């Protein structure tokens, strides 16, 4: 927080601060993702496609429901910004804020990416994460965050005194979706949304509560893998910040490509069915 306060702490300030936190959403009440069955189905799945996302660019890809997709660091430390849309209706998209509220600030195996209201259903489930070992560090930082937004040219223009940069993740994702769905920018750009920051190491400072980043621990061969709960369009930007250890939205960072692979199982996971939109009724 910044600025000076005109108020003084009340006599019971310490008592108010000492109140115990209450978890808003008990994770035990969430539907079981069936991780054991998903991993069993993945064991003999065959690769059907792969897409290389060049540095400082974005690409879209299709993942049928019941299939798996993996994002891998292949040449050097690199973070990526991931968007997901329902292939049936791209207006249903990944809801990072609700995902954060349900699972926490950073995702790992067993967590899910939830879709926007009113559908609010699982879009993808994380089944493997080679960086799960990192956990939460002494600064409060973790990997694969749902707390930051994608870097965008509008914020860059605002903070740089009017300079333009054309390879922000928002820009990359917009261009990728334009090409994938053959849409003009005016239709594609509003569909781009807050992301899962794949491989990015982030947190909030303890003293000021500011969003921070540190150099990602990702190394070539590290990956995060997902199960597609519904028919998906994925969008991935290889962030212009590289490992985000210094800055982003510039051409100064050393950047690397990311690999996306799609896998088809021989049979559907035991007990799995594709989730339907949320059953809430206004009646």
């Amino acid at each position: 927080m910044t600025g000076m306060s005109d108020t003084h702490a009340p006599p019971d300030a310490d008592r108010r601060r000492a109140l115990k936190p209450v978890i808003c959403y008990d994770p035990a009440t969430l539907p079981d993702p069936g991780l054991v069955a998903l991993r069993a189905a993945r064991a003999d799945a065959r690769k059907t496609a792969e897409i290389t996302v060049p540095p400082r660019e974005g690409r879209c890809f299709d993942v049928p429901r019941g299939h798996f997709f993996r994002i891998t660091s292949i040449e050097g430390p690199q973070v990526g910004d991931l968007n997901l849309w329902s292939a049936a209706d791209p207006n249903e998209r990944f809801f990072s804020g609700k995902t954060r509220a349900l699972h926490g600030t950073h995702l790992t195996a067993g967590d899910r990416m939830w879709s926007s209201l009113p559908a609010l259903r699982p879009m993808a489930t994380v089944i493997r994460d080679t960086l799960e070992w990192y956990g939460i560090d002494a600064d409060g930082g973790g990997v694969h965050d749902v707390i930051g937004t994608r870097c965008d040219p509008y914020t860059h223009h605002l903070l740089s005194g009017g300079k333009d940069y054309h390879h922000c993740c928002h820009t990359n994702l917009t261009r990728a979706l334009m090409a994938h769905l053959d849409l003009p920018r005016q239709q594609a750009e509003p569909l781009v949304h807050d992301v899962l920051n794949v491989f990015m190491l982030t947190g909030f400072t303890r003293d000021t509560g500011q969003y921070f980043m540190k150099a990602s621990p990702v190394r070539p061969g590290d990956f995060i893998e997902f199960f597609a709960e519904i028919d998906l369009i994925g969008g991935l930007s290889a962030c212009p910040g590289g490992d985000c250890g210094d800055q982003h939205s510039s051409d100064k960072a050393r950047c690397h490509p990311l690999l996306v692979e799609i896998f088809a199982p021989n049979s559907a996971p035991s007990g799995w069915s594709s989730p339907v939109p949320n059953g809430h009724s206004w009646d």
Side-chain angles (χ1 to χ4, degrees):
M1 298 176 65
T2 59
M4 299 293 292
S5 173
D6 293 328
T7 63
H8 299 283
D12 63 345
D14 288 342
R15 182 185 64 80
R16 297 191 201 182
R17 291 193 184 101
L19 294 174
K20 299 300 182 184
V22 177
I23 300 300
C24 293
Y25 299 103
D26 182 357
T29 64
L30 288 172
D32 184 350
L35 198 57
V36 172
L38 297 182
R39 287 175 170 173
R42 171 65 182 89
D44 59 357
R46 65 193 185 282
K47 185 161 78 171
T48 58
E50 67 174 48
I51 303 94
T52 299
V53 183
R56 294 186 174 87
E57 293 187 22
R59 294 290 187 272
C60 281
F61 51 92
D62 296 307
V63 189
R65 59 186 172 182
H67 287 49
F68 302 87
F69 66 102
R70 175 188 287 188
I71 300 172
T72 304
S73 168
I74 52 175
E75 292 183 10
Q78 177 66 43
V79 306
D81 285 39
L82 178 66
N83 266 190
L84 293 181
W85 299 270
S86 165
D89 178 9
N91 288 296
E92 182 184 355
R93 67 199 84 170
F94 172 50
F95 190 174
S96 67
K98 187 59 69 176
T99 299
R100 178 175 64 249
L102 293 174
H103 294 295
T105 56
H106 300 79
L107 303 188
T108 192
D111 294 332
R112 307 175 107 168
M113 298 176 69
W114 295 78
S115 72
S116 53
L117 304 180
L120 192 62
R121 57 177 167 171
M123 302 184 81
T125 299
V126 183
I127 67 162
R128 293 183 69 191
D129 170 19
T130 63
L131 295 176
E132 187 173 5
W133 59 267
Y134 191 90
I136 302 296
D137 65 26
D139 295 312
V143 183
H144 311 307
D145 85 74
V146 282
I147 52 178
T149 61
R150 69 271 186 202
C151 59
D152 70 89
Y154 307 103
T155 302
H156 179 80
H157 187 90
L158 175 69
L159 299 180
S160 67
K163 297 178 182 178
D164 289 331
Y165 184 69
H166 300 291
H167 296 283
C168 294
C169 288
H170 175 88
T171 313
N172 297 340
L173 291 167
T174 298
R175 288 174 176 154
L177 191 63
M178 289 169 61
H180 196 73
L181 295 181
D182 192 22
L183 293 175
R185 182 182 62 80
Q186 292 79 3
Q187 293 182 28
E189 187 174 13
L191 296 174
V192 173
H193 50 279
D194 284 349
V195 296
L196 170 60
N197 282 307
V198 175
F199 304 138
M200 194 169 181
L201 174 50
T202 61
F204 292 114
T205 58
R206 302 290 193 187
D207 51 354
T208 61
Q210 290 175 285
Y211 183 56
F212 71 79
M213 61 187 188
K214 300 167 65 173
S216 174
V218 69
R219 296 294 182 268
D222 279 321
F223 65 85
I224 184 170
E225 191 163 283
F226 305 83
F227 175 71
E229 300 279 359
I230 63 174
D231 291 328
L232 294 174
I233 300 170
L236 183 66
S237 169
C239 182
D243 69 1
C244 288
D246 183 24
Q247 59 180 295
H248 55 68
S249 301
S250 80
D251 289 327
K252 295 181 180 180
R254 186 177 181 183
C255 295
H256 305 276
L258 293 170
L259 177 66
V260 180
E261 298 169 283
I262 316 297
F263 300 89
N266 288 328
S267 59
S270 176
W272 173 79
S273 61
S274 185
V276 298
N278 191 273
H280 168 70
S281 173
W282 284 76
D283 298 330

